[in-house]
Amino acid sequence: MAYPISDDSYSGGQAFVRDTLQALVRAGLKRKLRDLKGAPEPRMQLAGREVLLLCSNNYLGLATDDRLKQAAQQATEIYGCGATGSRLISGNSEPHRVLEQAIASYKGTEAALVFTSGYHANLGAITALVGTGDAIFSDALNHASLIDGARLSRAEILIYPHRDVEDLEKKLRSRISVRRKLILTETVFSMDGDLAPLRDIAYLAKKYGSLLLADEAHATGLFGPTGAGLVEALELQSAVDVQMGTFSKALGSLGGYLAASKDLIDYFLNCSRSFIFTTGLPPGVLAASTEAVRIAREEPEHRETLWRNVGTLRRGLGEMGFGLGPSQSQILPLLLYYKRRTMAACRFLLRRGVFVQGIRPPTVPPGTERLRIAPMATHTAKDLETALAAFAELQSLLQSPKRRTTAGESSTAAPVGVLK
Ligand code: PLP
């Protein structure tokens, strides 16, 4: 049969691609990659000029710590660049074992299992724990990896309003006779920076015989006496069945983990498809993560500097009249409510040399568009001053009486034109 040749690649089955891209442009939701150069340090190059980085998850500055780099280099020398096999075939090197012991000890659990990413860890845990006929109870603002894991599991998904334990209890009661129940919550919410009512949730899990998975992606390295996370801060290690997290944020490296009892970890090793059917992480990455866990645990000064920086920005922005919602963490959401206004504010700050990414749907619900500000321990007092000066200019423009509006956005609150 002759292969149908066409000059127009959109004449066949790909028409939906162009339609979708065009629709995203029309909706103000088309995304593109930014061309950043340099390491994730306070100063980076973006589109040929220096910017102050204020939206990285490198909260403690560990991604560029010399000790992590050395650990990665040494492990790469010894073990090579890639694991080149799935963990259960030929990819299980010594650095895996060392990291799993380190993270289990940090989290106060019997054992731990490292995955390629936090996304893989959530998918692997949820799909192994529940399936058809079971029920998942999920916070309305949970991360996409929790949502996708829940959908893939084929369990029934009941979404409770954000942080609403009364509604969660109602939903748990309504599924009392279901075979297996699983509650999913982040501990520090990634886009709002507020905290889950984890003690109440753990109490309900026990009362209704439900499993509880706590996603500590944005708490690990930061909360609790040794920075192990919110579970440590609230001393809930024995009440949370699975502490999930990632090495890719405060720990400055890559990879996800599940920390739990020996039996649960053995179960995940045998039943989590996103663990079984993928290649292990490179040894250099694993060694860097192990060093990051050691530093986060033994050197509280990085956290202390971060919290000071968070306090400075929070105070400064508050004095300018910016609301930061319910944030109780290093994540400071500056809500602008409209996607075009948010992206215009992002561009405005960029022109003043400050890079804070605008966050739009589907990452956040429509109508809650925001700038997600994330200070780092490595920001200096001068960096924070620079940032605050740019935000002060932004605020005076947002409050300017000469607001002009853009079609499709509210005429009372969207000064897009003046931000151009
Ligand atoms: N869970 C939460 C709450 C996150 O914010 C993220 C990161 O984006 C993940 C899980 C996934 O982690 P990773 O980036 O390691 O895949």
Side-chain angles (χ1 to χ4, degrees):
M1 203 206 298
Y3 188 80
I5 296 170
S6 161
D7 285 345
D8 178 3
S9 60
Y10 290 110
S11 63
Q14 287 188 33
F16 72 94
V17 175
R18 182 182 47 196
D19 293 348
T20 304
L21 291 173
Q22 286 173 351
L24 285 171
V25 172
R26 279 196 302 278
L29 291 172
K30 174 81 169 46
R31 300 177 185 211
K32 60 179 191 245
L33 293 171
R34 291 196 188 274
D35 187 17
L36 282 153
K37 289 202 174 63
E41 287 174 327
R43 304 280 166 176
M44 294 190 80
Q45 294 283 321
L46 176 56
R49 57 181 293 232
E50 188 182 271
V51 290
L52 176 68
L53 177 66
L54 205 56
C55 55
S56 167
N57 296 326
N58 185 19
Y59 304 124
L60 296 177
L62 294 182
T64 53
D65 189 291
D66 284 341
R67 294 165 293 179
L68 267 73
K69 291 183 200 170
Q70 274 162 21
Q73 280 162 6
Q74 275 167 15
T76 306
E77 271 308 317
I78 298 169
Y79 300 99
C81 290
T84 68
S86 67
R87 295 280 304 279
L88 290 166
I89 298 183
S90 67
N92 191 41
S93 56
E94 170 85 357
H96 273 110
R97 191 181 55 71
V98 174
L99 178 57
E100 284 170 351
Q101 279 172 354
I103 195 71
S105 153
Y106 194 30
K107 290 280 169 177
T109 59
E110 286 178 352
L113 194 64
V114 168
F115 287 67
T116 308
S117 71
Y119 192 97
H120 284 79
N122 271 336
L123 251 56
I126 299 166
T127 54
L129 289 174
V130 288
T132 309
D134 299 330
I136 287 174
F137 305 85
S138 182
D139 186 287
L141 294 189
N142 272 341
H143 186 258
S145 55
L146 292 164
I147 296 170
D148 294 354
R151 288 177 179 163
L152 199 59
S153 76
R154 301 194 187 156
E156 183 191 9
I157 303 168
L158 294 95
I159 297 171
Y160 60 91
H162 184 47
R163 300 180 74 253
D164 186 340
V165 281
E166 269 176 39
D167 190 83
L168 170 60
E169 178 156 25
K170 263 192 232 146
K171 289 190 162 55
L172 280 162
R173 207 179 295 129
S174 74
R175 295 295 183 279
I176 196 84
S177 55
V178 161
R179 181 184 70 143
R180 288 186 212 158
K181 297 179 268 298
L182 172 63
I183 302 172
L184 302 176
T185 185
E186 294 179 39
T187 58
V188 173
F189 283 88
S190 63
M191 289 296 142
D192 290 78
D194 53 352
L195 310 184
L198 200 60
R199 210 186 286 287
D200 295 343
I201 293 175
Y203 168 79
L204 290 179
K206 189 142 204 76
K207 181 170 171 187
Y208 290 94
S210 173
L211 294 159
L212 170 58
L213 181 151
D215 179 333
E216 295 257 67
H218 294 273
T220 304
L222 304 177
F223 283 77
T226 69
L230 194 67
V231 174
E232 181 198 40
L234 300 175
E235 297 181 12
L236 289 172
Q237 289 91 338
S238 57
V240 173
D241 297 281
V242 184
Q243 296 180 57
M244 173 274 165
T246 172
F247 301 105
S248 66
K249 303 190 194 298
L251 299 177
S253 180
L254 180 73
Y257 63 82
L258 303 177
S261 68
K262 264 201 186 103
D263 279 353
L264 260 176
I265 292 303
D266 204 21
Y267 176 79
F268 291 134
L269 189 143
N270 282 278
C271 303
S272 292
R273 292 172 65 84
S274 64
F275 173 83
I276 299 168
F277 297 105
T278 193
T279 300
L281 280 168
V285 167
L286 297 163
S289 298
T290 302
E291 184 61 2
V293 171
R294 187 193 68 73
I295 294 171
R297 196 171 185 175
E298 293 175 6
E299 299 179 8
E301 56 269 30
H302 308 292
R303 277 193 287 290
E304 287 157 12
T305 313
L306 173 69
W307 294 127
R308 262 201 309 281
N309 288 350
V310 169
T312 303
L313 272 189
R314 188 188 283 283
R315 245 186 335 275
L317 292 166
E319 280 162 15
M320 288 170 206
F322 281 118
L324 297 173
S327 165
Q328 292 172 269
S329 71
Q330 75 284 5
I331 297 160
L332 305 176
L334 198 159
L335 284 151
L336 292 169
Y337 305 105
Y338 299 91
K339 52 197 180 232
R340 290 194 173 84
R341 178 159 62 151
T342 299
M343 296 320 289
C346 172
R347 287 192 297 275
F348 176 87
L349 290 171
L350 258 183
R351 278 195 299 279
R352 273 136 195 92
V354 176
F355 176 34
V356 190
Q357 185 61 282
I359 309 287
R360 292 171 284 177
T363 308
V364 293
T368 71
E369 288 81 352
R370 69 201 60 190
L371 297 173
R372 180 186 182 275
I373 306 167
M376 300 188 281
T378 42
H379 281 125
T380 62
K382 178 93 187 78
D383 291 335
L384 302 180
E385 249 175 56
T386 305
L388 285 171
F391 279 109
E393 276 192 70
L394 174 66
Q395 181 66 311
S396 59
L397 276 177
L398 288 170
Q399 289 174 344
S400 151
K402 283 193 296 173
R403 289 177 181 178
R404 283 193 275 135
T405 58
T406 293
E409 302 220 337
S410 159
S411 60
T412 55
V416 175
V418 294
L419 291 172
K420 285 270 154 63

PDB file of all heavy atoms in Angstrom, residues 57 116-120 122 143 145-146 186 188-190 215 217-218 244-249 254-256, ligand 1:
ATOM      1  N   ASN A  57      12.524  25.771  43.629  1.00  0.00           N
ATOM      2  CA  ASN A  57      12.314  24.925  44.814  1.00  0.00           C
ATOM      3  C   ASN A  57      13.639  24.553  45.481  1.00  0.00           C
ATOM      4  O   ASN A  57      13.656  23.708  46.375  1.00  0.00           O
ATOM      5  CB  ASN A  57      11.563  23.649  44.426  1.00  0.00           C
ATOM      6  CG  ASN A  57      10.167  23.945  43.929  1.00  0.00           C
ATOM      7  OD1 ASN A  57       9.523  24.883  44.396  1.00  0.00           O
ATOM      8  ND2 ASN A  57       9.692  23.159  42.972  1.00  0.00           N
ATOM      9  N   THR A 116      12.182   6.905  40.722  1.00  0.00           N
ATOM     10  CA  THR A 116      12.833   7.817  39.771  1.00  0.00           C
ATOM     11  C   THR A 116      12.474   9.276  40.036  1.00  0.00           C
ATOM     12  O   THR A 116      13.258  10.174  39.779  1.00  0.00           O
ATOM     13  CB  THR A 116      12.413   7.437  38.334  1.00  0.00           C
ATOM     14  OG1 THR A 116      12.669   6.043  38.191  1.00  0.00           O
ATOM     15  CG2 THR A 116      13.191   8.211  37.307  1.00  0.00           C
ATOM     16  N   SER A 117      11.272   9.522  40.511  1.00  0.00           N
ATOM     17  CA  SER A 117      10.840  10.890  40.818  1.00  0.00           C
ATOM     18  C   SER A 117       9.715  10.820  41.849  1.00  0.00           C
ATOM     19  O   SER A 117       9.169   9.745  42.109  1.00  0.00           O
ATOM     20  CB  SER A 117      10.316  11.582  39.545  1.00  0.00           C
ATOM     21  OG  SER A 117       9.084  10.998  39.179  1.00  0.00           O
ATOM     22  N   GLY A 118       9.362  11.970  42.379  1.00  0.00           N
ATOM     23  CA  GLY A 118       8.234  12.023  43.286  1.00  0.00           C
ATOM     24  C   GLY A 118       6.944  11.634  42.571  1.00  0.00           C
ATOM     25  O   GLY A 118       6.064  10.998  43.152  1.00  0.00           O
ATOM     26  N   TYR A 119       6.853  12.020  41.313  1.00  0.00           N
ATOM     27  CA  TYR A 119       5.671  11.659  40.509  1.00  0.00           C
ATOM     28  C   TYR A 119       5.525  10.134  40.445  1.00  0.00           C
ATOM     29  O   TYR A 119       4.443   9.584  40.687  1.00  0.00           O
ATOM     30  CB  TYR A 119       5.845  12.267  39.110  1.00  0.00           C
ATOM     31  CG  TYR A 119       4.615  12.229  38.247  1.00  0.00           C
ATOM     32  CD1 TYR A 119       3.787  13.336  38.155  1.00  0.00           C
ATOM     33  CD2 TYR A 119       4.284  11.094  37.514  1.00  0.00           C
ATOM     34  CE1 TYR A 119       2.648  13.304  37.353  1.00  0.00           C
ATOM     35  CE2 TYR A 119       3.168  11.055  36.715  1.00  0.00           C
ATOM     36  CZ  TYR A 119       2.354  12.160  36.631  1.00  0.00           C
ATOM     37  OH  TYR A 119       1.231  12.124  35.847  1.00  0.00           O
ATOM     38  N   HIS A 120       6.647   9.454  40.151  1.00  0.00           N
ATOM     39  CA  HIS A 120       6.621   7.982  40.114  1.00  0.00           C
ATOM     40  C   HIS A 120       6.251   7.406  41.483  1.00  0.00           C
ATOM     41  O   HIS A 120       5.534   6.400  41.564  1.00  0.00           O
ATOM     42  CB  HIS A 120       8.002   7.429  39.748  1.00  0.00           C
ATOM     43  CG  HIS A 120       8.361   7.554  38.311  1.00  0.00           C
ATOM     44  ND1 HIS A 120       8.810   8.724  37.755  1.00  0.00           N
ATOM     45  CD2 HIS A 120       8.364   6.638  37.312  1.00  0.00           C
ATOM     46  CE1 HIS A 120       9.069   8.526  36.479  1.00  0.00           C
ATOM     47  NE2 HIS A 120       8.802   7.270  36.178  1.00  0.00           N
ATOM     48  N   ASN A 122       4.378   8.688  43.907  1.00  0.00           N
ATOM     49  CA  ASN A 122       2.937   8.788  44.177  1.00  0.00           C
ATOM     50  C   ASN A 122       2.138   7.800  43.328  1.00  0.00           C
ATOM     51  O   ASN A 122       1.248   7.113  43.830  1.00  0.00           O
ATOM     52  CB  ASN A 122       2.460  10.222  43.935  1.00  0.00           C
ATOM     53  CG  ASN A 122       2.588  11.065  45.197  1.00  0.00           C
ATOM     54  OD1 ASN A 122       2.592  10.545  46.318  1.00  0.00           O
ATOM     55  ND2 ASN A 122       2.709  12.372  45.028  1.00  0.00           N
ATOM     56  N   HIS A 143      -1.625  17.779  44.546  1.00  0.00           N
ATOM     57  CA  HIS A 143      -0.761  17.842  43.360  1.00  0.00           C
ATOM     58  C   HIS A 143      -1.194  16.830  42.288  1.00  0.00           C
ATOM     59  O   HIS A 143      -1.761  15.776  42.593  1.00  0.00           O
ATOM     60  CB  HIS A 143       0.675  17.523  43.801  1.00  0.00           C
ATOM     61  CG  HIS A 143       1.694  17.685  42.731  1.00  0.00           C
ATOM     62  ND1 HIS A 143       2.229  16.623  42.036  1.00  0.00           N
ATOM     63  CD2 HIS A 143       2.280  18.792  42.217  1.00  0.00           C
ATOM     64  CE1 HIS A 143       3.121  17.067  41.156  1.00  0.00           C
ATOM     65  NE2 HIS A 143       3.161  18.384  41.244  1.00  0.00           N
ATOM     66  N   SER A 145       0.361  14.664  40.686  1.00  0.00           N
ATOM     67  CA  SER A 145       0.857  13.284  40.804  1.00  0.00           C
ATOM     68  C   SER A 145      -0.043  12.454  41.722  1.00  0.00           C
ATOM     69  O   SER A 145      -0.195  11.244  41.520  1.00  0.00           O
ATOM     70  CB  SER A 145       2.297  13.263  41.308  1.00  0.00           C
ATOM     71  OG  SER A 145       2.419  13.977  42.520  1.00  0.00           O
ATOM     72  N   LEU A 146      -0.642  13.088  42.716  1.00  0.00           N
ATOM     73  CA  LEU A 146      -1.606  12.383  43.571  1.00  0.00           C
ATOM     74  C   LEU A 146      -2.902  12.138  42.795  1.00  0.00           C
ATOM     75  O   LEU A 146      -3.499  11.058  42.859  1.00  0.00           O
ATOM     76  CB  LEU A 146      -1.886  13.200  44.835  1.00  0.00           C
ATOM     77  CG  LEU A 146      -0.709  13.319  45.819  1.00  0.00           C
ATOM     78  CD1 LEU A 146      -0.935  14.442  46.816  1.00  0.00           C
ATOM     79  CD2 LEU A 146      -0.476  12.007  46.554  1.00  0.00           C
ATOM     80  N   GLU A 186      -1.260  16.486  50.676  1.00  0.00           N
ATOM     81  CA  GLU A 186       0.057  17.097  50.806  1.00  0.00           C
ATOM     82  C   GLU A 186       0.155  17.597  52.245  1.00  0.00           C
ATOM     83  O   GLU A 186      -0.868  17.857  52.887  1.00  0.00           O
ATOM     84  CB  GLU A 186       0.195  18.284  49.843  1.00  0.00           C
ATOM     85  CG  GLU A 186       0.177  17.870  48.390  1.00  0.00           C
ATOM     86  CD  GLU A 186       0.280  19.054  47.428  1.00  0.00           C
ATOM     87  OE1 GLU A 186       1.036  20.000  47.692  1.00  0.00           O
ATOM     88  OE2 GLU A 186      -0.427  19.017  46.411  1.00  0.00           O
ATOM     89  N   VAL A 188       2.588  20.285  53.109  1.00  0.00           N
ATOM     90  CA  VAL A 188       2.702  21.707  52.756  1.00  0.00           C
ATOM     91  C   VAL A 188       2.196  21.806  51.321  1.00  0.00           C
ATOM     92  O   VAL A 188       2.767  21.183  50.422  1.00  0.00           O
ATOM     93  CB  VAL A 188       4.167  22.187  52.828  1.00  0.00           C
ATOM     94  CG1 VAL A 188       4.294  23.608  52.293  1.00  0.00           C
ATOM     95  CG2 VAL A 188       4.684  22.111  54.258  1.00  0.00           C
ATOM     96  N   PHE A 189       1.138  22.547  51.099  1.00  0.00           N
ATOM     97  CA  PHE A 189       0.545  22.579  49.758  1.00  0.00           C
ATOM     98  C   PHE A 189       1.408  23.406  48.808  1.00  0.00           C
ATOM     99  O   PHE A 189       1.798  24.530  49.133  1.00  0.00           O
ATOM    100  CB  PHE A 189      -0.904  23.069  49.833  1.00  0.00           C
ATOM    101  CG  PHE A 189      -1.813  21.983  50.332  1.00  0.00           C
ATOM    102  CD1 PHE A 189      -2.019  21.813  51.690  1.00  0.00           C
ATOM    103  CD2 PHE A 189      -2.401  21.091  49.449  1.00  0.00           C
ATOM    104  CE1 PHE A 189      -2.813  20.776  52.160  1.00  0.00           C
ATOM    105  CE2 PHE A 189      -3.194  20.052  49.909  1.00  0.00           C
ATOM    106  CZ  PHE A 189      -3.406  19.895  51.266  1.00  0.00           C
ATOM    107  N   SER A 190       1.662  22.811  47.640  1.00  0.00           N
ATOM    108  CA  SER A 190       2.730  23.305  46.771  1.00  0.00           C
ATOM    109  C   SER A 190       2.455  24.666  46.162  1.00  0.00           C
ATOM    110  O   SER A 190       3.381  25.387  45.816  1.00  0.00           O
ATOM    111  CB  SER A 190       2.981  22.301  45.647  1.00  0.00           C
ATOM    112  OG  SER A 190       1.829  22.166  44.840  1.00  0.00           O
ATOM    113  N   ASP A 215       2.059  13.523  51.504  1.00  0.00           N
ATOM    114  CA  ASP A 215       3.058  13.961  50.514  1.00  0.00           C
ATOM    115  C   ASP A 215       3.844  15.135  51.114  1.00  0.00           C
ATOM    116  O   ASP A 215       3.327  16.233  51.272  1.00  0.00           O
ATOM    117  CB  ASP A 215       2.310  14.371  49.232  1.00  0.00           C
ATOM    118  CG  ASP A 215       3.235  14.872  48.139  1.00  0.00           C
ATOM    119  OD1 ASP A 215       4.326  15.389  48.455  1.00  0.00           O
ATOM    120  OD2 ASP A 215       2.856  14.772  46.955  1.00  0.00           O
ATOM    121  N   ALA A 217       6.522  16.594  49.834  1.00  0.00           N
ATOM    122  CA  ALA A 217       7.417  17.151  48.812  1.00  0.00           C
ATOM    123  C   ALA A 217       7.975  18.520  49.217  1.00  0.00           C
ATOM    124  O   ALA A 217       9.155  18.786  49.038  1.00  0.00           O
ATOM    125  CB  ALA A 217       6.690  17.246  47.467  1.00  0.00           C
ATOM    126  N   HIS A 218       7.114  19.380  49.758  1.00  0.00           N
ATOM    127  CA  HIS A 218       7.563  20.744  50.066  1.00  0.00           C
ATOM    128  C   HIS A 218       7.845  20.950  51.559  1.00  0.00           C
ATOM    129  O   HIS A 218       8.050  22.084  51.994  1.00  0.00           O
ATOM    130  CB  HIS A 218       6.532  21.767  49.570  1.00  0.00           C
ATOM    131  CG  HIS A 218       6.439  21.758  48.078  1.00  0.00           C
ATOM    132  ND1 HIS A 218       7.257  22.517  47.274  1.00  0.00           N
ATOM    133  CD2 HIS A 218       5.658  21.022  47.240  1.00  0.00           C
ATOM    134  CE1 HIS A 218       6.985  22.269  46.007  1.00  0.00           C
ATOM    135  NE2 HIS A 218       6.004  21.363  45.959  1.00  0.00           N
ATOM    136  N   MET A 244       5.508  10.148  51.835  1.00  0.00           N
ATOM    137  CA  MET A 244       6.081  10.250  50.485  1.00  0.00           C
ATOM    138  C   MET A 244       6.825  11.574  50.391  1.00  0.00           C
ATOM    139  O   MET A 244       6.499  12.545  51.080  1.00  0.00           O
ATOM    140  CB  MET A 244       4.927  10.184  49.463  1.00  0.00           C
ATOM    141  CG  MET A 244       5.323  10.442  48.043  1.00  0.00           C
ATOM    142  SD  MET A 244       5.302  12.213  47.729  1.00  0.00           S
ATOM    143  CE  MET A 244       6.214  12.298  46.198  1.00  0.00           C
ATOM    144  N   GLY A 245       7.832  11.621  49.547  1.00  0.00           N
ATOM    145  CA  GLY A 245       8.529  12.896  49.342  1.00  0.00           C
ATOM    146  C   GLY A 245       9.432  12.836  48.133  1.00  0.00           C
ATOM    147  O   GLY A 245       9.427  11.856  47.378  1.00  0.00           O
ATOM    148  N   THR A 246      10.188  13.899  47.960  1.00  0.00           N
ATOM    149  CA  THR A 246      11.062  13.974  46.793  1.00  0.00           C
ATOM    150  C   THR A 246      12.408  14.591  47.189  1.00  0.00           C
ATOM    151  O   THR A 246      12.470  15.391  48.126  1.00  0.00           O
ATOM    152  CB  THR A 246      10.397  14.797  45.668  1.00  0.00           C
ATOM    153  OG1 THR A 246      11.340  14.997  44.618  1.00  0.00           O
ATOM    154  CG2 THR A 246       9.899  16.145  46.139  1.00  0.00           C
ATOM    155  N   PHE A 247      13.440  14.194  46.490  1.00  0.00           N
ATOM    156  CA  PHE A 247      14.771  14.787  46.699  1.00  0.00           C
ATOM    157  C   PHE A 247      14.961  16.007  45.801  1.00  0.00           C
ATOM    158  O   PHE A 247      16.028  16.608  45.796  1.00  0.00           O
ATOM    159  CB  PHE A 247      15.864  13.751  46.388  1.00  0.00           C
ATOM    160  CG  PHE A 247      15.758  12.507  47.230  1.00  0.00           C
ATOM    161  CD1 PHE A 247      15.279  11.322  46.699  1.00  0.00           C
ATOM    162  CD2 PHE A 247      16.116  12.536  48.572  1.00  0.00           C
ATOM    163  CE1 PHE A 247      15.159  10.181  47.476  1.00  0.00           C
ATOM    164  CE2 PHE A 247      15.999  11.396  49.363  1.00  0.00           C
ATOM    165  CZ  PHE A 247      15.521  10.218  48.814  1.00  0.00           C
ATOM    166  N   SER A 248      13.918  16.350  45.028  1.00  0.00           N
ATOM    167  CA  SER A 248      14.109  17.331  43.953  1.00  0.00           C
ATOM    168  C   SER A 248      13.853  18.773  44.374  1.00  0.00           C
ATOM    169  O   SER A 248      13.999  19.678  43.569  1.00  0.00           O
ATOM    170  CB  SER A 248      13.185  16.982  42.783  1.00  0.00           C
ATOM    171  OG  SER A 248      11.839  17.135  43.178  1.00  0.00           O
ATOM    172  N   LYS A 249      13.491  18.987  45.632  1.00  0.00           N
ATOM    173  CA  LYS A 249      13.165  20.377  46.021  1.00  0.00           C
ATOM    174  C   LYS A 249      14.192  20.854  47.062  1.00  0.00           C
ATOM    175  O   LYS A 249      15.320  21.146  46.671  1.00  0.00           O
ATOM    176  CB  LYS A 249      11.712  20.437  46.466  1.00  0.00           C
ATOM    177  CG  LYS A 249      10.819  19.907  45.322  1.00  0.00           C
ATOM    178  CD  LYS A 249       9.381  20.121  45.504  1.00  0.00           C
ATOM    179  CE  LYS A 249       8.550  19.297  44.525  1.00  0.00           C
ATOM    180  NZ  LYS A 249       8.757  19.606  43.110  1.00  0.00           N
ATOM    181  N   LEU A 254      17.371  14.795  42.778  1.00  0.00           N
ATOM    182  CA  LEU A 254      16.259  14.229  42.002  1.00  0.00           C
ATOM    183  C   LEU A 254      15.881  12.863  42.567  1.00  0.00           C
ATOM    184  O   LEU A 254      16.744  12.136  43.047  1.00  0.00           O
ATOM    185  CB  LEU A 254      16.670  14.062  40.530  1.00  0.00           C
ATOM    186  CG  LEU A 254      15.595  13.472  39.612  1.00  0.00           C
ATOM    187  CD1 LEU A 254      14.497  14.480  39.338  1.00  0.00           C
ATOM    188  CD2 LEU A 254      16.194  12.999  38.297  1.00  0.00           C
ATOM    189  N   GLY A 255      14.602  12.530  42.443  1.00  0.00           N
ATOM    190  CA  GLY A 255      14.145  11.209  42.874  1.00  0.00           C
ATOM    191  C   GLY A 255      13.068  11.331  43.929  1.00  0.00           C
ATOM    192  O   GLY A 255      13.035  12.305  44.686  1.00  0.00           O
ATOM    193  N   GLY A 256      12.187  10.338  43.969  1.00  0.00           N
ATOM    194  CA  GLY A 256      11.122  10.335  44.974  1.00  0.00           C
ATOM    195  C   GLY A 256      11.364   9.201  45.957  1.00  0.00           C
ATOM    196  O   GLY A 256      12.196   8.326  45.722  1.00  0.00           O
TER     197      GLY A 256
HETATM  198  N1  PLP B   1       4.142  16.111  45.094  1.00  0.00           N
HETATM  199  C1  PLP B   1       4.126  17.446  45.152  1.00  0.00           C
HETATM  200  C2  PLP B   1       3.268  18.106  46.178  1.00  0.00           C
HETATM  201  C3  PLP B   1       4.904  18.216  44.277  1.00  0.00           C
HETATM  202  O1  PLP B   1       4.860  19.552  44.322  1.00  0.00           O
HETATM  203  C4  PLP B   1       5.721  17.547  43.349  1.00  0.00           C
HETATM  204  C5  PLP B   1       6.604  18.310  42.433  1.00  0.00           C
HETATM  205  O2  PLP B   1       6.296  18.932  41.519  1.00  0.00           O
HETATM  206  C6  PLP B   1       5.693  16.154  43.302  1.00  0.00           C
HETATM  207  C7  PLP B   1       4.910  15.465  44.199  1.00  0.00           C
HETATM  208  C8  PLP B   1       6.497  15.401  42.286  1.00  0.00           C
HETATM  209  O3  PLP B   1       7.844  15.385  42.633  1.00  0.00           O
HETATM  210  P1  PLP B   1       8.964  15.250  41.518  1.00  0.00           P
HETATM  211  O4  PLP B   1       9.202  16.611  40.972  1.00  0.00           O
HETATM  212  O5  PLP B   1      10.136  14.672  42.221  1.00  0.00           O
HETATM  213  O6  PLP B   1       8.427  14.335  40.475  1.00  0.00           O
END
